[in-house]
Amino acid sequence: AHSGVGRVLRTVRFCRILRTLRLFRVTAYAREFRKMAYALQHTAHTLFWAVLLLVFVMYCFATTFTQATSDFLAELWENKPQELETAEVLRLQQSYGTLPRSFYSLYMSLSTGIAWGEALHPLSQLHWVFVVLFLFFITLTLFGVLNVVTSVFVESAIQSTEKYKDIKIQEAITYKKMHVSHLRDVFSELDTDGSGEICSEEM
């Protein structure tokens, strides 16, 4: 009987140890999650300005392509209206006929939603200058703007990590001060005679 009770106690004790280990693992994961959440919060301001810069660059090129497409379609309407129904012209109109469509085409080519060669092909009907301009847009955004944005994000994330460490150190110091204050209150209550020392009778 005693051996059975001992085995039960050992099992209960082992289960408590496992629960403690699981708590440590959850705490570690929660700490990493808090760190990532803090980094995202810290880089939100950078994200806003990065998106604004990218939208500005896309707006400049989208306006140019839309205006060129509108002039090309107007010229066809006056001189060769029968060509407006061809597949190539319809594709050009669908891709760059309006400013929102131009924005969408540029964004899809930039975010690999479509191959940028597919977005380039309709512009070949306008003039070779617009083909070069589109290639310049791809080069500028992929190798210029996006790399700069990535480097800024990495720097911002590193700074947020350093700041997070400082916050955790400050929290640990505050936590320690709280425990010290609590222990002082406990020992002050035990020291009934106010001697500054606790004897065995007071304990």
Side-chain angles (χ1 to χ4, degrees), residues 38-49:
Y38 182 81
L40 288 175
Q41 179 183 358
H42 187 77
T43 56
H45 186 263
T46 305
L47 176 63
F48 170 77
W49 288 109

Side-chain angles (χ1 to χ4, degrees), residues 92-107:
L92 174 64
Q93 188 173 2
Q94 291 174 358
S95 299
Y96 302 99
T98 62
L99 187 60
R101 290 178 181 178
S102 298
F103 253 106
Y104 180 74
S105 299
L106 294 180
Y107 180 78

Side-chain angles (χ1 to χ4, degrees), residues 72 88 92 96 119-128 130-131:
F72 177 76
E88 295 295 331
L92 174 64
Y96 302 99
L120 170 64
H121 182 70
L123 294 175
S124 61
Q125 302 176 67
L126 303 178
H127 197 274
W128 64 267
F130 297 101
V131 174

Side-chain angles (χ1 to χ4, degrees), residues 57-67 98-99 102-103 106:
V57 173
M58 291 176 61
Y59 174 78
C60 294
F61 285 91
T63 303
T64 303
F65 294 145
T66 304
Q67 185 62 47
T98 62
L99 187 60
S102 298
F103 253 106
L106 294 180

Side-chain angles (χ1 to χ4, degrees), residues 3 9 31 36 44 52 70 73 78 94 104 118 128 136-137 161 165 172 190 193 197 200-201:
S3 61
L9 291 177
R31 188 182 299 112
M36 289 187 291
L52 188 63
S70 298
L73 294 176
E78 293 178 0
Q94 291 174 358
Y104 180 74
E118 297 180 10
W128 64 267
F136 177 70
F137 164 76
T161 302
K165 290 180 180 178
L190 291 176
D193 57 1
E197 297 179 353
S200 58
E201 289 81 3

Side-chain angles (χ1 to χ4, degrees), residues 5 34-35 37 39 43 48-49 61 68 92 94 104 106 109 113 119 146-147 154 156 167 169-170 193:
V5 173
R34 287 181 58 191
K35 185 186 297 184
T43 56
F48 170 77
W49 288 109
F61 285 91
L92 174 64
Q94 291 174 358
Y104 180 74
L106 294 180
S109 61
L146 293 184
N147 282 336
V154 170
S156 180
I167 293 175
I169 292 174
Q170 187 64 36
D193 57 1

